[in-house]
Structures are given as structure tokens and as C-alpha cells.
């Protein structure tokens, strides 16, 4: 069974997934019920460096195709 997952972990992962899918911080904030965007971003947005690198590569590839 899955014993090490808490509801808090699922909430954090859901917030991160929505941000990576392109939801705005305000939209995720409303959905998760946080009083401020800074709390959401500081505590729950678990965006890893690999996500940023993937996004940079995709942007560079799109820019190259436009040329």
C-alpha cells in the first residue's frame, strides 16, 4: 500500500501540476484556498529545475522554427 503520502502532499502536487499546465497563480490560489499567492508559491509550488530547462528548450526550439 501507499503509506507515506499525506493529503498535504497531494495538494502540493496538484498545485504544482496546475502551474505547469499553464494555470495562473491566481487561479491555483483560488482553487487551493490560499490567502496569498506568496504562500502558494513558497510552500506548495514544487517546480524543479528540470521543468524550467524543458520549458527553455521548447521555447528555443519554437524560436528556431520561426526563423
Amino acid at each position: 500500500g501507499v503509506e507515506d503520502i499525506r493529503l498535504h502532499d497531494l495538494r502540493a502536487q496538484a498545485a504544482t501540476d496546475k502551474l505547469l499546465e499553464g494555470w495562473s497563480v491566481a487561479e491555483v490560489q483560488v482553487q487551493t484556498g490560499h490567502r496569498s499567492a506568496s504562500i502558494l508559491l513558497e510552500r506548495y509550488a514544487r517546480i524543479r529545475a528540470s521543468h524550467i530547462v524543458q520549458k527553455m528548450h521548447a521555447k528555443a526550439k519554437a524560436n528556431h522554427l520561426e526563423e
Side-chain angles (χ1 to χ4, degrees), residues 4-65:
D4 294 335
I5 295 180
R6 304 167 294 154
L7 288 177
H8 178 81
D9 298 328
L10 296 174
R11 181 184 189 199
Q13 188 61 52
T16 300
D17 289 346
K18 293 197 178 315
L19 290 168
L20 291 172
E21 290 170 4
W23 288 46
S24 72
V25 172
E27 291 170 325
V28 178
Q29 177 188 344
V30 169
Q31 186 194 34
T32 58
H34 289 97
R35 282 185 272 165
S36 73
S38 63
I39 291 174
L40 169 70
L41 293 172
E42 289 172 14
R43 297 185 184 170
Y44 298 100
R46 299 178 180 182
I47 298 174
R48 295 177 182 89
S50 61
H51 296 131
I52 296 168
V53 171
Q54 287 174 351
K55 194 170 189 175
M56 289 172 61
H57 284 292
K59 182 72 172 172
K61 185 177 179 180
N63 286 341
H64 180 68
L65 292 175

